[in-house]
Amino acid sequence: YEHTHNATVAARLSPDLLAELASLAAVQQADYYGNLTASGRRRGDRVRAVAGRTLAARAVGEMRRFLAAGGAAAGPKLSLVVGSFEPLLSFFALAGLTGAGRASDAAFDKLPAPGAALVLELFSTDAAGLVDTAHGGDAAVADDEYTLGPPAEDALQVRLLYRDGVAPDAGLYEYPILGRSQSEAALSWVDFAA
C-alpha cells in the first residue's frame, strides 16, 4: 500500500526487496488461508480453509441449480461471485493446486493479483442431449430444429480456468484439479460434486 501511495516509501524500496516481500506475504497468506492441517474444535475440520469450502459449495450449488432448471435450455448460463483473494487461496489448496505433490506453477505461488478470475465450467461433449422437438424424432430434420436437452449427469465434466489479474498478457489457462495430470484436467461432475 505504502509503495503505491507514498512516493518516499516507493523511492526507498528496491524491486528486489518488493519481490521478497511479495513472496513472504504469499507464503504467510497461503499458510493462513490454505493450511489444510490446522484444526479448530474438531480434529481435521480444516477450519482455515473454510472460505474455500464455502466457495466450492457455492459453485456446486449453482451447478446443481442449473441442472435442476433443465440445463442449457432453461437454466442460468452464468453465476458470478465477486470477492477478495482469501477464498481463492483456500480453494486452491482444497483443489490440490498448491502444496507438496503438485506440478509447480507460478500462478499459485503468489497472491492473486487484483482482478484475478477463477472459472469453473460445467460442460458435456455428449450429443445425447439433442432432442428433436419439431418432428417427433424424424432423423431427416435440419440441425436448427433440435434443441439441447439436459445431458446425463455421468456425461458432465467440470474444468477449472484461472486468470491471474487483468494485465493484457494474463491469459485464462486451464489447470487440473484434485491431483490430476494436465492431460486429464477435466473432472467428472460426479467426482467434483462429491
Side-chain angles (χ1 to χ4, degrees):
Y1 177 85
E2 288 294 327
H3 180 264
T4 302
H5 300 286
N6 184 326
T8 304
V9 171
R12 292 183 180 168
L13 294 176
S14 70
D16 290 340
L17 181 57
L18 282 175
E20 182 179 353
L21 291 172
S23 176
L24 292 171
V27 169
Q28 188 269 340
Q29 292 294 291
D31 189 49
Y32 190 76
Y33 293 105
N35 186 339
L36 301 181
T37 61
S39 297
R41 292 183 179 191
R42 291 187 324 261
R43 187 170 180 78
D45 65 6
R46 298 181 173 183
V47 69
R48 289 198 176 175
V50 72
R53 290 184 7 219
T54 302
L55 179 61
R58 173 77 185 263
V60 169
E62 289 296 316
M63 290 177 187
R64 283 188 174 136
R65 189 170 66 103
F66 169 77
L67 294 171
K77 309 298 187 271
L78 173 72
S79 296
L80 180 65
V81 178
V82 178
S84 60
F85 69 86
E86 293 89 348
L88 289 177
L89 293 177
S90 294
F91 183 83
F92 294 161
L94 291 166
L97 296 166
T98 62
R102 68 166 173 97
S104 178
D105 193 296
F108 304 107
D109 291 335
K110 58 184 181 171
L111 294 177
L118 173 71
V119 176
L120 292 168
E121 179 182 27
L122 178 65
F123 68 98
S124 174
T125 57
D126 186 13
L130 291 177
V131 178
D132 172 12
T133 57
H135 299 87
D138 184 359
V141 180
D143 286 344
D144 62 350
E145 294 178 348
Y146 284 90
T147 60
L148 185 62
E153 284 199 11
D154 61 351
L156 293 170
Q157 298 180 35
V158 176
R159 70 179 183 154
L160 180 143
L161 299 107
Y162 178 65
R163 178 180 173 138
D164 188 26
V166 295
D169 61 341
L172 189 61
Y173 299 105
E174 181 179 52
Y175 294 96
I177 55 177
L178 301 178
R180 297 193 167 326
S181 68
Q182 189 64 43
S183 64
E184 54 180 4
L187 180 67
S188 77
W189 161 247
V190 175
D191 290 341
F192 181 78

